[in-house]
Amino acid sequence: MGTFCARVWEIIRACVNKTFSYKPKPPHSFILGHLGVFNETVKFFPPNTHPQAYYTALTQNRPSDHGPSYPMHEETDNFLTPIVGKDVIAAANGKKWKMLHHIMAPVFKPAYIKSMLPTIADETMLFHGRLTCAAESGEVVLMEDTVANFVFDVIGRFVFNFPLHAQTIGSQVLGDIRVLLESASLAATTTWNPVAKVARYLKKRAAVGRLDSYISEKLKERYSIVKESAKYHGPYPNSEDAGRGSRLR
């Protein structure tokens, strides 16, 4: 029996090696896979680090161990759908990715970013003031929440051109987005507790309703501004002068 098992093991190992040996990869164990290399990488990070940091470190430290980029897996879209909706650029491939990239590219043009520097500076000063007050008073602050508020306000000014006040009085929109993130967490999606599932579903549905209503209203306001501006400056934005964002303000 032992001889038979050993023979089967050799056959399986030979097949696996023949199938995957030509592909670039870190040192591999037939039993543990890449857990050995992964464990070595994890040791350099503090507890509760996001797994993406591990993968990035592996890629940077072992550039010869990985091959070409592959299409985004459908599970990425499944994970992001409850948070930001289906078919977002972070999970898209091929023509769909190119279309979404074409739509979003004008916002990241250097000319447009430069026109938004005063806005970024205003929000940065609020962020600096918040940290200064905390340092002077000895208050303990959660940097993750504080930085999230800062980034959220900057993005809000970029998209809607008005403050969302996450750094000052707080933002219901940011709170609702956090509810969506919690609903997509591993603990929320794997629980067997029916009461917890129903409670999370109702909480998520309420948050989605508020977000849809708020964003729809602001998009209509923004569209009115763009439409009014087009009467005096011509259609905007377009592929030729999308960088001149100051025309809308």
Side-chain angles (χ1 to χ4, degrees), residues 42-54 144:
V42 170
K43 293 178 181 178
F44 293 98
F45 292 88
N48 299 320
T49 298
H50 193 284
Q52 184 59 52
Y54 305 147
E144 183 176 355

Side-chain angles (χ1 to χ4, degrees), residues 12-60:
I12 294 175
R13 187 169 184 176
C15 292
V16 171
N17 289 338
K18 183 177 180 180
T19 304
F20 299 103
S21 60
Y22 70 94
K23 295 185 177 181
K25 58 184 178 295
H28 182 268
S29 167
F30 184 77
I31 298 178
L32 299 179
H34 298 124
L35 290 180
V37 178
F38 192 80
N39 186 53
E40 293 176 4
T41 304
V42 170
K43 293 178 181 178
F44 293 98
F45 292 88
N48 299 320
T49 298
H50 193 284
Q52 184 59 52
Y54 305 147
Y55 307 139
T56 302
L58 281 170
T59 302
Q60 293 174 340

